[in-house]
Amino acid sequence: MELRMPTWEQVETVYHSDLTPSFPASELKPLRAIGEMWRDGWYRPWCLFDGDEIVGECFLWLGRPGWLLLDYLCVSPRRRNSGAGALILEKMLEREAGNVILGESEAPIHAPDPEMARRRLGFYARNHARTAGYDTDMFGAHYKTLYWADREIPDEELMDQHRFIYQNRFSPEKYARYVQIPRDPEAPPILAVPWDE
């Protein structure tokens, strides 16, 4: 299997077949926003191909040079529980060697399905993710912050780069209303709203 850049038509297909049924509205960017970000040079979609079939994808949101956010990791429903998710991460880390990749995974304490959230965090830990010392709140979802890097990185540096990714795309008003980096541990989650609110 090979991780490679898809065409826009292939991105449209996996958006509807894989991402839309797998992510809640508050976590899913509109397809047009993904297209705009890709055209503007701030987005990099990778798809895992088995011959001509796409078995999964990881979409990266670009920040400053050397910094990326794993925006979506998804395996096609018909290929789940086959090891494809781990293979996507392995090949992504090879392709993006030298970059620091941030990740966000639901915190079990506020997740609709706490056991699933714990399993996801375990999956990422088994696939070499480090856990940062701060959580975030994005559009009403409480996340643990993860990262892949060849060194341990101080939280202040991670937060600075993490904030930049969102501040570079959002207006100050939208950022202030819907994004908390870091999340106040005493606060309840922000009210969940669609990503393009």
Side-chain angles (χ1 to χ4, degrees), residues 81-94:
N81 302 311
S82 68
L87 186 59
I88 292 168
L89 283 177
E90 177 188 326
K91 290 183 174 293
M92 176 195 76
L93 294 172
E94 289 172 2

Side-chain angles (χ1 to χ4, degrees), residues 12-193:
E12 288 181 304
T13 298
V14 298
Y15 182 90
H16 294 295
S17 65
D18 296 355
L19 272 62
T20 300
S22 301
F23 291 92
S26 61
E27 296 180 31
L28 190 60
K29 290 176 180 59
L31 184 60
R32 77 175 152 64
I34 290 173
E36 289 167 5
M37 292 168 72
W38 193 10
R39 283 190 299 274
D40 292 346
W42 294 104
Y43 214 74
R44 185 152 55 234
W46 290 110
C47 287
L48 183 66
F49 287 82
D50 185 0
D52 292 330
E53 180 189 3
I54 297 175
V55 300
E57 49 280 333
C58 59
F59 289 1
L60 300 171
W61 186 347
L62 283 60
R64 293 185 180 109
W67 290 83
L68 312 142
L69 173 68
L70 177 57
D71 204 21
Y72 299 108
L73 172 68
C74 194
V75 174
S76 172
R78 64 195 173 280
R79 299 296 285 267
R80 288 189 182 149
N81 302 311
S82 68
L87 186 59
I88 292 168
L89 283 177
E90 177 188 326
K91 290 183 174 293
M92 176 195 76
L93 294 172
E94 289 172 2
R95 289 282 194 164
E96 300 293 349
N99 291 320
V100 177
I101 300 172
L102 291 159
E104 300 159 347
S105 190
E106 256 189 319
I109 190 170
H110 289 125
D113 184 341
E115 184 52 38
M116 176 60 77
R118 278 190 282 277
R119 284 203 301 271
R120 270 196 208 104
L121 287 168
F123 164 77
Y124 285 124
R126 289 190 303 277
N127 286 280
H128 314 294
R130 300 173 189 256
T131 303
Y134 68 95
D135 293 359
T136 65
D137 194 312
M138 308 289 175
F139 294 88
H142 175 186
Y143 295 106
K144 304 298 288 180
T145 305
L146 311 172
Y147 69 99
W148 288 265
D150 57 10
R151 63 186 172 92
E152 194 167 324
I153 300 174
D155 285 343
E156 285 302 322
E157 184 179 356
L158 291 169
M159 283 189 277
D160 176 61
Q161 299 293 346
H162 205 165
R163 287 184 196 109
F164 175 83
I165 289 169
Y166 286 95
Q167 289 171 336
N168 187 47
R169 195 73 197 177
F170 293 169
S171 69
E173 297 76 22
K174 184 172 184 175
Y175 180 90
R177 188 169 182 187
Y178 299 120
V179 178
Q180 285 183 6
I181 303 174
R183 180 183 186 277
D184 177 355
E186 302 302 317
I190 299 169
L191 183 65
V193 294

